[in-house]
Amino acid sequence: QVQLVESGGGSVLAGDSLRLSCAASGHTFSSYAMGWFRQAPGKERKFVAAINWSGDARYYADSVQGRFTISRDNAKNTVYLQMNSLKPEDTAVYYCAADRDLVVVTTTGRSIASWGQGTQVTVSS
């Protein structure tokens, strides 16, 4: 299992940008597919974006397609989520996820091997 620590959350205005980071430690980072999920108050945790182990395949939820970009740096054991044109409905706790199975980190509701502790993103209008 990998241990994951997110950073980069904060409070911004609609239209602003933020970049989340997720630093991994433990087993070989490059063997894991990585994903970002988010959970708004009273809602289930939902898939946002995912990237395969090599970084050449990326997947996005329809709600963030064209605004968010996921990337990874295997040399730094880090995955990023660049969030542009933020909207109030993007407000949530954002969680980093890791699993050897890419399908798992692209799907809401699946059992995932490792989760980070979450970082709050608040977007005000």
Side-chain angles (χ1 to χ4, degrees):
Q1 300 251 3
V2 292
Q3 289 76 50
L4 305 173
V5 178
E6 302 98 333
S7 61
S11 296
V12 298
L13 296 176
D16 284 351
S17 298
L18 277 175
R19 188 176 81 156
L20 305 183
S21 299
C22 173
S25 60
H27 288 243
T28 306
F29 174 73
S30 61
S31 67
Y32 284 82
M34 301 296 297
W36 287 97
F37 290 71
R38 66 187 182 187
Q39 187 167 21
K43 303 288 184 63
E44 69 172 332
R45 190 174 300 186
K46 291 187 175 181
F47 166 73
V48 174
I51 189 166
N52 71 337
W53 68 273
S54 64
D56 60 1
R58 308 178 188 193
Y59 307 86
Y60 299 96
D62 289 345
S63 58
V64 306
Q65 180 77 45
R67 299 188 299 121
F68 290 12
T69 302
I70 189 171
S71 61
R72 67 188 297 160
D73 185 336
N74 287 342
K76 295 183 178 179
N77 285 5
T78 302
V79 63
Y80 305 98
L81 185 68
Q82 178 66 44
M83 305 185 295
N84 297 330
S85 301
L86 282 162
K87 304 176 181 180
E89 51 264 43
D90 294 319
T91 295
V93 177
Y94 283 71
Y95 296 90
C96 180
D99 202 286
R100 296 186 187 276
D101 187 342
L102 176 61
V103 173
V104 168
V105 295
T106 60
T107 309
T108 294
R110 298 290 294 270
S111 177
I112 290 177
S114 299
W115 289 100
Q117 83 288 350
T119 185
Q120 177 71 46
V121 172
T122 302
V123 185
S124 302
S125 58

